[in-house]
Amino acid sequence: SNMVSKVSEAIGLSLIPCNSSNVVAFAHVLPKKWLYILFKNNVLYRYEGQDYNAFISLLNSESKGKWVNEHLVKPKVKCCKWSVENSE
């Protein structure tokens, strides 16, 4: 989608799109252990302390939204967030 390419360009990473009720796409920065999650409400989150195993676990999960909720949202993982302008 336009949003995914726009955000990918802005953060200099290739976001991986996914079919989910609330997650649009995600990306991982291994050296910094950052996991970026772009939500349907046009908010981009960067979660800290997410190693390669966490990324692979998300990648292989059947439900991305459920994984994000269980592993990042509920445990209140340290994060930063940005609102993304949706200009089609």
Side-chain angles (χ1 to χ4, degrees), residues 2-47:
N2 189 30
M3 180 57 87
V4 172
S5 43
K6 193 178 161 187
V7 173
S8 294
E9 204 175 298
I11 62 174
L13 287 172
S14 291
L15 285 164
I16 302 164
C18 60
N19 286 325
S20 164
S21 54
N22 62 341
V23 176
V24 178
F26 59 95
H28 188 241
V29 182
L30 189 57
K32 299 209 180 270
K33 292 185 176 171
W34 287 342
L35 194 53
Y36 283 93
I37 309 285
L38 177 61
F39 288 94
K40 287 251 163 96
N41 62 356
N42 296 339
V43 179
L44 177 71
Y45 279 79
R46 186 185 73 203
Y47 291 94

Side-chain angles (χ1 to χ4, degrees), residues 55-88:
F55 173 63
I56 293 302
S57 172
L58 171 59
L59 203 55
N60 293 332
S61 67
E62 214 169 290
S63 166
K64 306 295 184 245
K66 195 173 171 185
W67 190 97
V68 166
N69 203 35
E70 283 175 12
H71 295 85
L72 303 173
V73 179
K74 277 186 187 159
K76 294 185 168 61
V77 171
K78 192 178 177 193
C79 62
C80 304
K81 67 175 187 173
W82 298 270
S83 241
V84 183
E85 290 275 320
N86 191 6
S87 51
E88 286 301 320

